[in-house]
Amino acid sequence: MVMKCTVCFVALALLGSFCKAQWGFNPKPNQNPGIPPPIKQVPHNPQQTKQTFEKPLTWKYPQDPDPLPKENVPFELRSPVAASSVSVDCREKIVHVEVRKDMFGTGQLINPADLTMGNCAAVGEDTIAQVLIYETELQDCLSTLTRTEDAIIYTFTMNYAPQALGSSPVVRTGEATVIVECHYPRKHNVSSLALNPDWVAFSAVRMAQEFLYFTLRLMTDDFQHERPSPQYYLGDTINIEATVTQFFHVPLRVYVESCRASPPVPKGFRPIGYSFIDNNGCLLDARLTGSHSMFMARTADNKLQFQLAAFKFHAVDNGILHITCYLKASSASHAIDTEHRACSWNNGWYEAGGDLDVCSSCENVSGPVQPSPPPPSDPKGGAAYPERKIRDVSKSGVLEWEGEVTLGPIHIAEKMVV
């Protein structure tokens, strides 16, 4: 009987402890040391923990390399120097021409098949001297005959058309045309001696590449480098340099016959413009507006530099200008005259080369010149044009070349007033 009562007490004690745990009561210390305390059950609810590393990560994505700073190095592209690679011997019945295979003086030897005199190929080659030999009668190889009052002239055209090198699509020399002339006097003393026509030395033979290259460039204030920015402000001076590349011509002198500035105009609108150089090389801007625009003193025959005061067109807000100039080049030995000049106004007309007498006709300014379509040009302000004889060479003895070059866009902004 005692054993049954003990079991009942144990069961009641366990039941009471369970009820107190459910209602949040704290269990009292075990009153009966002989009875083991109830086992507390922990609910199965595992907690997630963030994985950590024993050492912090030090790797990072590599940064992009900084661009190398651009050095401000003075640089001016050198014009090619003419190579004396063609010699001519005008004989009684034939012409004898020798051409160095290094025709351009660059070390690149030409292919004999690429150079013909008219429709005639080379008749021989000096392999030791690296010289091609052309020889023909005066009436052959598509020569032309010209008669003047004092001379008979046979003209031959030597055409160089380079082909691609090997299987590549590249060439290292440009096309060229060399004019070879033989002059024979029409008037001479008759005697029993054999007639020995004078040989025109190579330096006196007029020779030219088929194309000249005229350029207009914006220059820095000292005219030593090309200006990297076309941005100007009202009150600034625009420094412009006109050049003609010599190539294989005789020494040439370049002139700016006319220049016209114009803003971009939408299609359908009437074009407007301002001719600030006109009348065969008269810079009119200082005369018309009182500015300081002028031609600079020549530093080389193949260059002509001038200054133009920055301006904008009235009632045109974009401040963008395009300048189109008509350039011409003639032999540097030809004297400066009323058709070959660079005149500026400074309380009187002055010529850039110092000849004052040729500028008096600059006062006879014609009306506004209508704009002409721009020529093909490259982004650096250059345009190539074929040679054109525009004067009677039988009277003046001067060859001239002409072309138009467009420079722009030039941005003109207003200065802020504080």
Side-chain angles (χ1 to χ4, degrees), residues 15 29 67 82 94 196 228 262 266 271 307 324 335 345 388 412:
L15 181 60
I94 64 173
N196 294 318
S262 59
Q307 294 181 325
T324 300
W345 173 264
R388 295 189 293 166
I412 309 295

Side-chain angles (χ1 to χ4, degrees), residues 21 58 76 89 144 162 166 178 182 207 216 268 309-310 312 328 348 385 393 399 418:
T58 58
E76 184 177 4
D89 183 6
T144 59
V178 177
C182 284
M207 49 175 289
L216 280 179
K312 293 177 64 176
K328 64 182 179 183
Y385 287 85
V393 296
L399 284 177
V418 181

Side-chain angles (χ1 to χ4, degrees), residues 73-106:
V73 178
F75 174 78
E76 184 177 4
L77 187 63
R78 293 178 295 179
S79 300
V81 178
S84 299
S85 56
V86 181
S87 61
V88 183
D89 183 6
C90 296
R91 302 172 183 174
E92 182 177 355
K93 294 182 180 181
I94 64 173
V95 57
H96 180 88
V97 181
E98 295 184 358
V99 182
R100 290 169 50 194
K101 295 188 70 175
D102 186 10
M103 183 176 176
F104 296 90
T106 60

Side-chain angles (χ1 to χ4, degrees), residues 11-56:
L12 289 175
L14 291 174
L15 181 60
S17 299
F18 177 76
C19 293
K20 290 179 181 181
Q22 292 293 328
W23 289 99
F25 295 120
N26 294 326
K28 294 182 179 180
N30 190 7
Q31 299 295 332
N32 192 352
I35 300 176
I39 299 174
K40 185 177 180 180
Q41 297 183 358
V42 180
H44 182 70
N45 186 17
Q47 298 293 328
Q48 294 183 352
T49 58
K50 183 178 181 181
Q51 185 180 5
T52 59
F53 297 92
E54 295 181 358
K55 296 182 180 179

Side-chain angles (χ1 to χ4, degrees), residues 95-414:
V95 57
H96 180 88
V97 181
E98 295 184 358
V99 182
R100 290 169 50 194
K101 295 188 70 175
D102 186 10
M103 183 176 176
F104 296 90
T106 60
Q108 181 69 39
L109 302 182
I110 65 173
N111 184 358
D114 296 339
L115 179 64
T116 58
M117 186 166 69
N119 59 348
C120 299
V123 298
E125 178 179 351
D126 187 341
T127 56
I128 299 177
Q130 295 290 336
V131 171
L132 301 177
I133 300 173
Y134 296 80
E135 192 171 276
T136 181
E137 295 186 358
L138 298 176
Q139 298 83 5
D140 292 341
C141 297
L142 303 180
S143 66
T144 59
L145 173 62
T146 305
R147 293 183 177 88
T148 66
E149 183 179 354
D150 300 322
I152 297 176
I153 304 173
Y154 289 91
T155 303
F156 299 85
T157 303
M158 304 198 69
N159 296 305
Y160 175 64
Q163 302 298 319
L165 297 174
S167 60
S168 70
V170 303
V171 294
R172 301 198 184 279
T173 53
E175 296 184 1
T177 298
V178 177
I179 307 300
V180 175
E181 294 182 351
C182 284
H183 293 237
Y184 297 93
R186 296 185 65 177
K187 299 178 182 180
H188 54 84
N189 295 325
V190 178
S191 68
S192 59
L193 299 177
L195 176 63
N196 294 318
D198 292 334
W199 167 50
V200 180
F202 172 70
S203 59
V205 175
R206 284 181 301 209
M207 49 175 289
Q209 192 175 4
E210 185 178 0
F211 290 92
L212 278 181
Y213 197 75
F214 293 100
T215 59
L216 280 179
R217 298 191 302 165
L218 298 175
M219 305 297 292
T220 55
D221 292 340
D222 57 1
F223 281 97
Q224 295 300 312
H225 309 284
E226 184 172 1
R227 196 175 194 268
S229 172
Q231 177 68 58
Y232 293 89
Y233 294 90
L234 292 179
D236 291 346
T237 298
I238 303 175
N239 299 308
I240 302 176
E241 181 180 82
T243 61
V244 58
T245 304
Q246 292 288 140
F247 287 116
F248 300 100
H249 295 75
V250 296
L252 298 175
R253 184 183 294 125
V254 66
Y255 299 93
V256 181
E257 192 166 80
S258 63
C259 275
R260 181 181 179 86
S262 59
V265 178
K267 292 183 179 180
F269 288 80
R270 181 180 179 181
I272 60 175
Y274 172 50
S275 296
F276 57 90
I277 299 179
D278 204 354
N279 197 12
N280 291 324
C282 299
L283 207 164
L284 307 173
D285 185 63
R287 186 76 170 102
L288 299 176
T289 66
S291 70
H292 56 271
S293 301
M294 64 177 179
F295 282 108
M296 310 297 290
R298 284 188 182 270
T299 59
D301 285 330
N302 68 324
K303 295 181 182 180
L304 183 58
Q305 301 164 342
F306 61 93
Q307 294 181 325
L308 176 65
F311 65 90
K312 293 177 64 176
F313 282 94
H314 179 66
V316 178
D317 297 331
N318 54 31
I320 297 177
L321 300 179
H322 291 268
I323 295 178
T324 300
C325 292
Y326 191 83
L327 308 181
K328 64 182 179 183
S330 64
S331 172
S333 61
H334 181 65
I336 296 174
D337 54 26
T338 55
E339 294 182 350
H340 307 82
R341 59 188 178 182
C343 298
S344 306
W345 173 264
N346 185 10
N347 296 323
W349 290 101
Y350 298 90
E351 211 281 327
D355 192 339
L356 305 181
D357 296 334
V358 299
C359 295
S360 58
S361 60
C362 284
E363 289 293 328
N364 304 325
V365 181
S366 60
V369 180
Q370 294 299 323
S372 57
S377 59
D378 64 21
K380 297 183 179 178
Y385 287 85
E387 60 172 305
R388 295 189 293 166
K389 298 179 182 179
I390 61 172
R391 300 289 182 265
D392 188 350
V393 296
S394 64
K395 295 181 179 179
S396 64
V398 177
L399 284 177
E400 291 189 350
W401 294 263
E402 303 173 346
E404 282 183 347
V405 186
T406 298
L407 180 64
I410 301 173
H411 301 269
I412 309 295
E414 297 182 3

